[in-house]
């Protein structure tokens, strides 16, 4: 068995594990020896053995050795039992206490010598230690973790620290002695990185904190370097393809469209459009991410790209995550495209079968030049005549495979993915290292900052009074129903109940509308049309209006139970107001009970800058949850932190690009180990299918 095979050994076959423990370890994401070696401690404790308990103070965390004198179980209350063991350190008697662990008595018999670690409690005279960890010193395989830097791991039920440390020790001894180094030697020397085997040893069994820092630095570089290789290879695959179509320079219909708009492009929009047009005229497909804060005008830019395709006798498709957003885009495009002779169509999952079949025929014949739809666009039975421009809005709602499936509907079409959730630069480099990035960093002129207030629920009557004043002077309002996790049905019912309550109570003198996800498409469209026309004064709704809804006369946004919402979602919802020239307000009603919720609300009150809020969201939630990275097709980061380690990320990205430029297939002898590691670590990754 070679080393790669040994590292890939199922954890079940490592001694002391077996099938039952293997299934428990799998809950921690540990399936193989490799997974075990890369299951790093979440923190370290510095333990120093003290000789006598009278040397310690209240609330100290200490390790002390003693001889067992006896033990007893004490039932403190229903569901809480303490096991109390009397120990002698040779001079003093003290007590070790375990809670709800009656099996401890079976392991600790009088006369045994044990070392216990825990917090000291001297409030009741005798010294008591609430045990966090212990060691049987009479054991022939003593861990000796009481006098060193001790790793502390995340656990699952029935997996304890002692077992995990022993298993990792076994894996380190048996599987890393000849660990193959895969980072190129020139990079090891250039950045003074530790060898892999020593890094793994020092992460799990350090002699001091400095060793953990050195090991972590190497593993952070390794993780980000491999990730950037993945993205660089993906981009290289894309840019090697050639388009089978070209665009004309005339742009006559484009010019008519721009002249028909009631506003001109901002300088930021003009710059971004030039970047996109330049890409479209290249012989390789465009693959670009368009970022822009809420209200920055991304829709107009995507419309120009779709229109350019249609003007050249080709097809464009816009895929969005929700039906209401698809309908909004459809109405906007139809309004401007039909006078120009461009046929625009809509395709969603809830359309009637006859309507869908008609849409399929028009798409396949090419008569439907621009198609707006939801996931329905990537059904197997949909065939485009000549898809040249694929646009995805709110792209973080879609995974890599869905993006690729839409692309496959054409022959190397241009791809534009858009997001109104600004992405911090470090995260963009990680999530979208295979895309070129354009940013609309300017809002249309005349927009006033939205005044954001956080209030407690007892101030809600004042909020409704303020809303009534705004409606009386001709403005409109949104009331966002609390977020309900159970189901869309429960959430929709909550919105129905709230709309009824308000229409009979605080807003009885005004027209109250209702919008939620379970309404039929025709009814949703009818409600939104009435709201846009001013026939509805206040719209009670769920988060279905989170993106894409544009009613300039709406100036008040009230979000109930705002502490339940994520920061990005709060920012998106706030972006539904402030779209006209009048002063707008966002009122967050909440009784936050966690530090995280308070931090989100404070950030919303402090800033309207989407990029600032995105950085805060990344700090609060972490990269794994931000922007759907778990569905992005990228591996989770185990040691790297995208905020803290941004300098290493930039270095790793450039080294990955340079390496593939000099050895695209990783065929050079010095890169053979790296190729093996890539294939082992990313066995399902199509990005490296072409290598070798």
């Amino acid at each position: 068995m070679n080393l790669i095979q040994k590292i890939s050994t199922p954890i079940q076959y490592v001694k002391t594990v077996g099938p039952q423990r293997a299934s428990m370890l799998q809950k921690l994401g540990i399936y193989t020896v490799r997974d075990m070696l890369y299951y790093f401690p979440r923190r370290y404790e510095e333990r120093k053995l003290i000789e006598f308990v009278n040397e310690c103070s209240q609330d100290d965390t200490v390790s002390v050795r003693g001889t067992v004198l006896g033990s007893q179980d004490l039932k403190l209350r229903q569901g809480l039992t303490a096991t109390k063991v009397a120990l002698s350190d040779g001079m003093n008697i003290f007590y070790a206490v375990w809670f709800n662990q009656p099996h401890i008595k079976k392991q600790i018999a009088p006369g045994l010598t044990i070392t216990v670690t825990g917090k000291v409690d001297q409030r009741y005279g005798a010294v008591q230690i609430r045990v966090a960890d212990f060691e049987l010193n009479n054991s022939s395989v003593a861990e000796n973790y009481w006098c060193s830097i001790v790793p502390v791991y995340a656990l699952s039920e029935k997996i304890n620290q002692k077992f995990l440390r022993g298993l990792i020790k076994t894996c380190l001894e048996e599987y890393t002695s000849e660990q193959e180094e895969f980072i190129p030697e020139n990079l090891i020397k250039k950045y003074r990185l530790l060898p892999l085997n020593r890094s793994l040893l020092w992460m799990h069994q350090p002699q001091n904190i400095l060793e953990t820092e050195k090991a972590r630095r190497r593993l952070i570089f390794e993780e980000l370097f491999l990730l950037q290789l993945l993205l660089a290879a993906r981009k290289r695959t894309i840019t090697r393809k050639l388009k089978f179509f070209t665009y004309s320079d005339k742009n006559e219909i484009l010019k008519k469209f721009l002249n028909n708009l009631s506003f001109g492009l901002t300088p930021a929009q003009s710059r971004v459009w030039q970047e996109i047009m330049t890409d479209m005229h290249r012989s390789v497909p465009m693959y670009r991410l368009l970022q822009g804060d809420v209200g920055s005008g991304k829709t107009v830019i995507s419309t120009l790209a779709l229109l350019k395709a249609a003007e050249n006798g080709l097809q464009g498709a816009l895929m969005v995550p929700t039906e209401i957003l698809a309908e909004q885009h459809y109405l906007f495009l139809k309004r401007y495209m039909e006078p120009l002779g461009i046929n625009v169509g809509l395709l969603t999952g809830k359309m009637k079968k006859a309507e869908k079949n008609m849409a399929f025929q028009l798409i396949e014949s090419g008569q439907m030049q621009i198609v707006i739809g939801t996931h329905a666009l990537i059904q197997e039975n949909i065939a485009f005549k000549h898809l040249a421009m694929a646009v995805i809005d709110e792209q973080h709602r879609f995974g890599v495979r869905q993006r690729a499936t839409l692309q496959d509907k054409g022959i190397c079409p241009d791809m534009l993915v858009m997001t109104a959730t600004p992405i911090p630069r470090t995260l963009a480099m990680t999530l979208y290292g295979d895309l070129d990035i354009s940013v609309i960093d300017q809002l249309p002129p005349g927009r006033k900052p939205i005044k954001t207030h956080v209030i407690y629920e007892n101030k809600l009557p004042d909020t409704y009074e303020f809303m009534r004043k705004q409606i009386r002077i001709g403005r409109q309002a949104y009331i966002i129903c609390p977020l309900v996790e159970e189901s869309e049905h429960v959430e929709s019912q909550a919105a129905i109940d709230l709309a009824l309550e308000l229409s009979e109570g605080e807003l009885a003198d005004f027209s109250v509308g209702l919008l939620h996800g379970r309404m039929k498409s025709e009814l949703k469209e009818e409600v939104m049309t009435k709201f846009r026309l001013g026939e509805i004064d206040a719209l009670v709704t769920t988060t279905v209006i989170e993106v894409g809804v544009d009613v300039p006369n709406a100036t008040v946004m009230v979000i109930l139970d705002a502490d339940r919402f994520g920061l990005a979602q709060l920012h998106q919802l706030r972006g539904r107001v402030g779209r006209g020239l009048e002063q707008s307000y966002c009122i967050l009603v909440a009784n936050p009970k966690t530090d995280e919720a308070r931090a989100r609300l404070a950030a919303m009150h402090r800033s309207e800058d989407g990029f600032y809020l995105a950085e805060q969201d990344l700090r609060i939630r972490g990269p794994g949850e931000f922007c759907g990275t778990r569905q992005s097709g990228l591996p989770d980061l185990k040691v790297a932190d995208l905020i803290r380690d941004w300098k290493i990320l930039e270095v790793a990205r450039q080294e990955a690009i340079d390496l593939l430029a000099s050895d695209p297939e990783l065929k050079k002898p010095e890169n053979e180990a790296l190729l093996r590691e890539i294939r082992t670590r990313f066995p399902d990754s199509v990005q490296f299918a072409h290598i070798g």
Side-chain angles (χ1 to χ4, degrees):
M1 185 185 291
N2 63 40
L3 190 62
I4 292 294
Q5 289 172 324
K6 286 180 70 176
I7 292 295
S8 301
T9 298
I11 198 67
Q12 173 181 341
Y13 300 115
V14 178
K15 60 185 178 184
T16 76
V17 181
Q20 190 173 354
R21 280 177 167 166
S23 66
M24 296 174 190
L25 289 166
Q26 286 169 8
K27 293 178 182 178
L28 297 172
I30 301 168
Y31 294 85
T32 66
V33 169
R34 173 186 293 279
D35 296 333
M36 189 75 263
L37 292 172
Y38 277 83
Y39 190 75
F40 299 125
R42 62 180 180 180
R43 61 186 174 86
Y44 299 89
E45 289 180 356
E46 190 167 2
R47 296 183 184 174
K48 187 174 182 181
L49 183 68
I50 64 170
E51 190 171 357
F52 302 110
V53 290
N54 59 6
E55 298 173 12
C56 62
S57 303
Q58 175 70 22
D59 294 330
D60 280 355
T61 297
V62 298
S63 295
V64 60
R65 182 182 296 152
T67 302
V68 177
L69 303 177
S71 62
Q72 62 177 323
D73 286 334
L74 304 171
K75 191 162 186 177
L76 304 180
R77 63 171 186 269
Q78 184 69 34
L80 181 61
T81 301
T83 298
K84 193 171 182 179
V85 176
L87 298 163
S88 170
D89 63 10
M91 181 179 290
N92 313 281
I93 293 176
F94 64 101
Y95 299 92
V97 181
W98 288 260
F99 292 99
N100 288 339
Q101 297 183 60
H103 60 276
I104 290 294
K105 281 179 68 176
K106 297 177 182 177
Q107 299 179 45
I108 301 172
L112 287 179
T113 301
I114 66 172
T115 301
V116 294
T117 299
K119 185 173 281 190
V120 174
D121 186 351
Q122 295 178 322
R123 287 177 296 176
Y124 306 108
V127 174
Q128 290 192 163
I129 295 178
R130 183 170 179 170
V131 181
D133 201 358
F134 77 98
E135 176 188 335
L136 299 174
N137 297 102
N138 305 63
S139 169
S140 59
V141 286
E143 289 182 18
N144 293 323
Y145 272 116
W146 42 264
C147 57
S148 61
I149 303 295
V150 181
V152 180
Y153 298 89
L155 303 174
S156 69
E157 190 178 359
K158 298 181 180 177
I159 294 289
N160 58 40
Q161 296 288 349
K162 188 183 298 293
F163 168 71
L164 210 53
R165 290 177 190 139
L167 179 57
I168 287 170
K169 183 179 180 183
T170 298
C171 290
L172 287 169
E173 289 173 351
E174 294 190 13
Y175 295 95
T176 62
S177 58
E178 299 176 26
Q179 176 71 57
E180 183 175 47
E181 180 58 74
F182 54 84
I183 298 290
E185 187 178 353
N186 66 311
L187 297 183
I188 295 281
K189 291 179 179 177
K190 183 176 180 180
Y191 298 109
R192 298 178 182 176
L193 302 175
L194 284 181
L196 178 56
N197 55 357
R198 196 184 309 168
S199 297
L200 294 172
L201 179 65
W202 284 5
M203 280 296 282
H204 292 292
Q205 296 182 347
Q207 296 300 307
N208 52 62
I209 292 298
L210 182 60
E211 287 187 352
T212 69
E213 291 172 354
K214 289 180 178 179
R216 189 179 297 276
R217 180 173 172 271
R218 181 252 149 73
L219 291 163
I220 288 169
F221 180 89
E222 168 190 313
E223 190 167 56
L224 295 176
F225 178 62
L226 291 173
L227 182 56
Q228 293 304 315
L229 274 173
L230 184 82
L231 294 167
R234 184 186 291 176
K235 187 166 186 176
R236 180 175 173 271
T237 302
I238 293 163
T239 55
R240 290 172 75 186
K241 297 176 181 177
L242 294 176
K243 294 192 289 196
F244 291 88
F245 55 89
T246 57
Y247 297 103
S248 165
D249 288 322
K250 292 183 180 177
N251 300 326
E252 296 299 327
I253 298 180
L254 273 176
K255 291 172 185 174
K256 288 180 183 177
F257 168 72
L258 288 169
N259 290 334
N260 290 342
L261 291 175
S262 58
F263 53 86
L265 298 182
T266 64
Q269 285 175 310
S270 296
R271 168 177 46 79
V272 166
W273 173 233
Q274 285 301 317
E275 291 170 355
I276 291 170
M277 240 194 329
T278 300
D279 276 1
M280 291 176 74
H281 281 285
R282 289 192 175 124
S283 59
V284 297
M286 173 177 73
Y287 209 51
R288 185 170 286 274
L289 170 69
L290 174 57
Q291 287 196 75
D293 214 339
V294 287
S296 61
K298 297 179 299 300
T299 300
V300 171
I301 299 302
S302 64
T303 301
L304 290 170
L306 292 165
L307 186 54
K308 187 171 178 67
E311 184 173 2
N312 284 267
L314 306 167
Q315 287 173 292
L318 170 60
M319 187 165 75
V320 299
T322 66
E323 294 206 353
I324 195 165
L325 184 53
E327 290 153 9
Q328 291 289 313
H329 279 301
Y330 171 67
L331 292 172
F332 172 82
L333 288 171
K334 188 177 179 183
R335 173 183 163 195
Y336 285 100
M337 297 296 106
E338 285 191 346
L340 300 174
I342 301 296
N343 187 8
V344 180
L346 177 68
L347 183 64
T348 65
K350 291 184 181 178
M351 287 170 60
K352 294 176 182 176
K353 188 174 182 180
E355 293 175 320
K356 284 184 184 177
N357 289 337
M358 177 58 71
F360 294 165
Q361 292 174 22
L362 293 173
I363 292 170
E364 190 168 359
S365 68
Q367 294 176 66
M368 194 178 286
Q369 296 161 281
I370 297 176
V371 192
I372 298 95
T374 56
H375 294 77
L377 282 177
I378 55 177
Q379 295 175 58
E380 285 186 19
N381 54 350
I382 293 177
F384 286 80
K385 184 178 182 181
H386 201 151
L387 179 64
M389 172 58 66
V391 180
I392 295 181
D393 196 13
E394 290 306 307
Q395 62 72 39
H396 63 279
R397 307 274 188 96
F398 298 98
V400 170
R401 287 185 180 87
Q402 291 163 317
R403 221 187 293 168
T405 303
L406 181 59
Q407 243 185 330
D408 290 342
K409 295 293 182 183
I411 302 175
C412 301
D414 290 318
M415 173 70 78
L416 179 66
V417 295
M418 305 193 297
T419 179
T421 302
I423 302 164
R425 182 166 168 269
T426 52
L427 189 57
M429 286 170 63
T430 304
L431 282 176
Y432 308 114
D434 55 332
L435 277 70
D436 296 308
I437 299 177
S438 292
V439 180
I440 303 178
D441 52 5
Q442 178 184 27
L443 293 176
R447 295 271 179 95
K448 294 180 180 178
I450 301 167
K451 293 184 178 180
T452 302
H453 302 280
V454 182
I455 66 166
Y456 287 107
E457 287 179 7
N458 61 1
K459 295 292 184 182
L460 201 48
D462 296 340
T463 299
Y464 286 129
E465 175 56 32
F466 174 74
M467 187 185 295
R468 289 192 289 269
K469 287 179 180 178
Q470 286 286 302
I471 294 173
R472 288 190 191 105
I473 61 173
R475 309 287 171 246
Q476 291 164 277
Y478 297 97
I479 303 103
I480 305 300
C481 200
L483 193 66
V484 179
E485 294 179 1
E486 285 87 342
S487 69
E488 187 182 27
H489 172 73
V490 175
E491 195 165 293
S492 299
Q493 188 59 49
I496 294 168
D497 295 342
L498 180 62
L500 181 62
E501 180 185 324
L502 291 175
S503 64
E504 294 178 349
E506 289 87 346
L507 301 178
D509 296 334
F510 305 100
S511 172
V512 178
L514 171 67
L515 189 71
H516 60 77
R518 291 175 64 85
M519 292 166 63
K520 291 184 177 180
S521 299
E522 299 82 4
L523 187 53
K524 286 182 192 173
E525 189 172 327
E526 181 185 336
V527 170
M528 282 312 305
T529 300
K530 286 183 176 180
F531 192 57
R532 274 192 297 273
L533 295 174
E535 296 173 16
I536 292 174
D537 299 313
L539 183 63
V540 176
T541 177
T542 61
T543 55
V544 292
I545 57 97
E546 182 183 346
V547 291
V549 176
D550 188 359
V551 181
N553 191 50
T555 59
V556 181
M557 166 66 66
V558 176
I559 305 176
L560 303 176
D561 287 358
D563 51 307
R564 294 190 190 180
F565 294 81
L567 189 50
Q569 197 170 35
L570 288 172
H571 182 56
Q572 289 285 352
L573 289 167
R574 176 170 59 182
R576 298 313 102 210
V577 295
R579 306 180 82 85
L581 300 179
E582 303 298 329
Q583 179 63 58
S584 289
Y585 307 86
C586 179
I587 301 166
L588 307 174
V589 184
N591 286 320
K593 296 188 173 53
T594 66
D595 290 340
E596 185 178 321
R598 284 186 280 273
R600 289 196 301 269
L601 296 172
M604 282 289 292
H605 176 68
R606 197 162 47 236
S607 178
E608 265 192 273
D609 183 343
F611 286 92
Y612 167 80
L613 293 176
E615 291 281 0
Q616 295 306 305
D617 203 14
L618 187 59
R619 288 180 188 277
I620 293 168
R621 288 198 289 164
E625 296 292 343
F626 187 94
C627 275
T629 60
R630 281 183 169 76
Q631 65 164 343
S632 67
L634 300 179
D636 288 338
L637 299 175
K638 294 180 183 294
V639 286
D641 181 295
L642 294 176
I643 296 175
R644 180 195 65 206
D645 303 322
W646 64 271
K647 288 184 179 178
I648 298 178
L649 174 61
E650 289 189 333
V651 168
R653 181 170 186 261
Q654 192 56 55
E655 292 294 354
I657 291 169
D658 291 347
L659 179 62
L660 285 185
S662 63
D663 186 13
E665 306 295 332
L666 297 183
K667 287 182 176 178
K668 293 181 179 178
E670 61 267 31
N671 292 327
E672 287 179 3
L674 178 60
L675 181 56
R676 280 194 293 273
E677 179 68 20
I678 289 169
R679 285 176 165 164
T680 303
R681 198 174 291 208
F682 308 121
D684 300 324
S685 178
V686 297
Q687 285 75 33
F688 289 99
H690 68 284
I691 296 180

